[in-house]
């Protein structure tokens, strides 16, 4: 019998040989023999396997996980160039900083006129990211749907064998856009129930956003939600959790705004760590980017800003490590991972917490110090 690599599966050569199921967002590490078997299955002729008991078990598992198929399909096989270590797996791609809202808690200081990446720049970035064995591109803004060439960007997305996640406030989503949208996941921001959400984003935005979530799910997209803790929504989290589970949300991430951008002058959103940290226990799912044992936050993450700057993440946009003209690889080499033993953290939860947000720790006074908001989650703030 012949077997073929499944259309949504792609081989990736990370720290170890792997296969990534893009639609399911699942990464499987492989030994050399399994990797070679899947390489052969990725050819146009597939692999004609004589199944020994060991191979049969592996094949059955791959069929179940939609890594292999018995049906011949056309799959793209991007270059298998061994990635750097640590590998760049997740790319925040801010295609524009244009936005249709002026949220009170937004960290961005928007320049005038607005900036956005060109179509050629976006294509080059995605090609380089794919060649670096990237897994997931987070398409953000501003509001990415406001990019003047978004239709053309959307048309090019299927060319690249990575998972595409659209970050949006949801207000511009409609049936026509969703029908054509070439992403696997949509992340929408909801910052509380109606009163709390609207107090940040504008009157009527909560109802419109909930409609966008339902419409996206009905259109077949996986939807995740991002929520920021602020003084106006502290009573909403139990209800939000029930609401999001009932709606069928894939992931719910909860975080505390970093006091930067507009928030520096807006003290109404500042909450003491001992209080705010308690709300970080909310949320569910695997999140949008993961780390590895022994390393602090952001091990596999990098960000490209709308002006072409490249930084460790969007919070570090004012401290670029390079420009996209230098290539993603050159910029990635300049970002040094932080090991947990370098941090001034001394509790038993360090592997779970991974030291929290390094940017937030820096705002609290020490880049290698404690993120007291994460400490608040574990009740480890010392007076």
């Amino acid at each position: 019998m012949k077997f073929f690599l499944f259309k949504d599966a792609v081989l990736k050569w990370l720290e170890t040989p792997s296969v990534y199921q893009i639609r399911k967002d699942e990464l499987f590490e492989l030994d050399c023999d399994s990797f070679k078997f899947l390489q052969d299955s990725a050819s146009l002729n597939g692999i004609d396997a004589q199944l020994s008991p060991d191979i049969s078990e592996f094949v059955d598992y791959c069929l179940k996980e939609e890594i292999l198929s018995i049906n011949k399909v056309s799959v793209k096989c991007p270059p298998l160039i061994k990635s750097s270590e640590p590998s760049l797996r997740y790319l925040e791609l801010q295609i524009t900083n244009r936005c249709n809202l002026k949220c009170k808690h937004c960290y961005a200081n928007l320049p005038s006129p607005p900036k956005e990446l060109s179509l050629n720049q976006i294509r080059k970035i995605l090609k380089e990211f794919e060649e670096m064995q990237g897994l997931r591109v987070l398409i953000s803004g501003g509001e990415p749907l406001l990019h003047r060439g978004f239709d053309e960007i959307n048309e090019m997305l299927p060319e690249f064998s990575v998972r595409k996640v659209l970050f949006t406030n949801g207000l511009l989503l409609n049936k026509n856009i969703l029908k054509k949208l070439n992403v696997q996941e949509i992340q929408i921001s909801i910052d509380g129930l109606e009163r709390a959400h609207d107090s940040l984003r504008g009157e009527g935005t909560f109802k419109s956003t909930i409609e966008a979530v339902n419409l996206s799910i009905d259109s077949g997209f996986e939807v995740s939600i991002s929520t920021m803790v602020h003084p106006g929504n502290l009573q909403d989290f139990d209800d939000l959790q029930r609401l999001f589970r009932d709606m069928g949300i894939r992931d719910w991430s909860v975080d505390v705004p970093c006091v930067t951008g507009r928030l520096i002058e807006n003290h109404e959103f500042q909450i003491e760590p001992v209080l705010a940290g308690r709300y970080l226990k909310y949320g569910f799912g695997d999140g949008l980017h993961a780390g590895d044992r022994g390393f602090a936050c952001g091990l596999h993450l990098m960000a490209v800003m709308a002006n072409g700057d490249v930084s460790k993440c969007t919070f570090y946009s004012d401290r670029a490590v390079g420009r996209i003209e230098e290539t993603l690889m050159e910029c990635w080499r300049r970002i040094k991972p932080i090991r947990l033993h370098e941090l001034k953290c001394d509790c038993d939860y360090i592997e779970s917490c991974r030291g929290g947000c390094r940017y937030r720790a820096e705002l609290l006074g020490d880049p290698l110090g404690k993120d007291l908001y994460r400490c608040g989650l574990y009740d480890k703030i010392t007076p």
Side-chain angles (χ1 to χ4, degrees):
M1 179 180 289
K2 286 197 172 185
F3 298 95
F4 302 87
L5 193 67
F6 195 83
K7 62 182 177 65
D8 291 321
V10 59
L11 295 171
K12 300 284 185 178
W13 200 341
L14 303 170
E15 285 82 353
T16 59
S18 305
V19 61
Y20 182 51
Q21 221 293 352
I22 293 174
R23 181 175 54 80
K24 291 185 173 183
D25 192 21
E26 292 181 349
L27 182 69
F28 303 86
E29 293 185 355
L30 304 167
D31 60 27
C32 291
D33 290 339
S34 300
F35 190 70
K36 177 65 166 60
F37 184 93
L38 292 181
Q39 273 189 296
D40 292 341
S41 75
S43 69
L44 290 176
N45 294 322
I47 183 170
D48 195 355
Q50 300 297 319
L51 298 183
S52 66
D54 289 343
I55 291 294
S56 179
E57 184 177 349
F58 172 70
V59 168
D60 286 345
Y61 180 79
C62 288
L63 290 170
K64 176 184 174 184
E65 296 296 332
E66 296 183 334
I67 296 168
L68 284 174
S69 171
I70 60 173
N71 299 314
K72 186 173 182 179
V73 293
S74 176
V75 296
K76 182 186 175 187
C77 297
L80 275 170
I81 305 166
K82 191 175 190 311
S83 72
S84 57
E85 295 189 21
S87 54
L88 174 60
R89 302 185 183 187
Y90 316 112
L91 184 68
E92 295 181 89
L93 181 56
Q94 186 188 80
I95 61 175
T96 181
N97 57 23
R98 298 172 183 271
C99 195
N100 52 341
L101 294 177
K102 292 184 178 180
C103 301
K104 292 180 181 179
H105 65 317
C106 183
Y107 63 84
N109 282 316
L110 299 182
S112 182
K115 302 288 186 182
E116 61 182 33
L117 297 172
S118 71
L119 300 181
N120 286 338
Q121 287 173 322
I122 292 169
R123 185 183 297 278
K124 177 177 179 289
I125 291 165
L126 290 174
K127 184 174 185 294
E128 290 177 5
F129 182 54
E130 181 184 63
E131 290 175 350
M132 290 178 70
Q133 311 301 296
L135 302 183
R136 192 183 302 139
V137 60
L138 316 175
I139 303 166
S140 72
E143 170 51 58
L145 294 173
L146 284 176
H147 191 290
R148 288 172 295 184
F150 186 82
D151 287 345
E152 291 83 356
I153 296 169
N154 184 56
E155 288 176 7
M156 78 170 71
L157 291 180
E159 299 175 21
F160 304 98
S161 298
V162 298
R163 182 176 173 90
K164 298 92 178 176
V165 185
L166 178 71
F167 282 29
T168 175
N169 56 43
L171 299 184
L172 299 179
L173 291 176
N174 56 48
K175 288 183 178 180
N176 284 337
I177 289 175
L178 290 167
K179 186 177 181 180
K180 297 181 292 184
L181 195 55
N182 292 317
V183 303
Q184 286 78 34
E185 183 178 345
I186 300 172
Q187 185 184 93
I188 297 177
S189 298
I190 296 180
D191 294 309
L193 296 176
E194 184 170 5
R195 182 176 178 181
H197 180 90
D198 286 2
S199 71
L200 269 61
R201 296 179 175 268
E203 186 176 351
T205 54
F206 178 79
K207 289 181 179 177
S208 297
T209 304
I210 292 294
E211 289 174 7
V213 171
N214 285 322
L215 189 59
S216 299
I217 293 173
D218 291 344
S219 298
F221 292 96
E222 292 188 312
V223 175
S224 54
I225 299 292
S226 174
T227 300
M228 286 293 179
V229 180
H230 63 93
N233 68 5
L234 300 184
Q235 306 303 315
D236 293 350
F237 280 85
D238 288 332
D239 290 333
L240 287 172
Q241 183 161 268
R242 284 190 292 271
L243 173 66
F244 297 153
R245 288 197 182 278
D246 289 345
M247 294 176 79
I249 296 304
R250 170 191 168 90
D251 285 287
W252 179 31
S253 60
V254 177
D255 207 352
V256 179
C258 285
V259 183
T260 183
R262 295 188 184 120
L263 289 188
I264 292 176
E265 300 172 354
N266 200 336
H267 299 288
E268 68 179 283
F269 294 103
Q270 298 182 28
I271 309 174
E272 288 299 315
V274 69
L275 174 60
R278 297 172 188 168
Y279 292 88
L280 298 179
K281 69 180 180 181
Y282 287 92
F284 49 78
D286 295 329
L288 287 166
H289 50 84
D292 280 337
R293 187 172 180 82
F295 289 91
C297 177
L299 177 65
H300 297 294
L301 175 70
M302 190 165 69
V304 175
M305 312 310 296
N307 64 359
D309 285 345
V310 182
S311 60
K312 181 177 179 180
C313 76
T314 51
F315 287 131
Y316 288 92
S317 60
D318 60 339
R319 277 168 275 177
V321 297
R323 295 275 306 168
I324 54 174
E325 293 83 6
E326 301 176 87
T327 75
L328 292 185
M329 179 64 81
E330 278 300 311
C331 296
W332 180 240
R333 287 173 177 156
R334 296 171 189 154
I335 297 177
K336 303 303 179 186
I338 299 174
R339 295 184 178 272
L340 292 182
H341 68 75
E342 300 175 49
L343 303 181
K344 299 171 185 177
C345 296
D346 53 5
C347 80
D348 296 334
Y349 301 100
I350 185 68
E351 282 292 349
S352 300
C353 169
R354 291 188 292 125
C357 173
R358 290 296 88 211
Y359 187 81
R360 201 155 50 213
E362 185 172 338
L363 291 176
L364 292 168
D366 188 344
L368 296 178
K370 298 180 179 181
D371 171 5
L372 294 180
Y373 292 88
R374 294 290 292 182
C375 295
L377 168 62
Y378 296 102
D379 294 324
K380 288 295 178 182
I381 296 179
T382 54

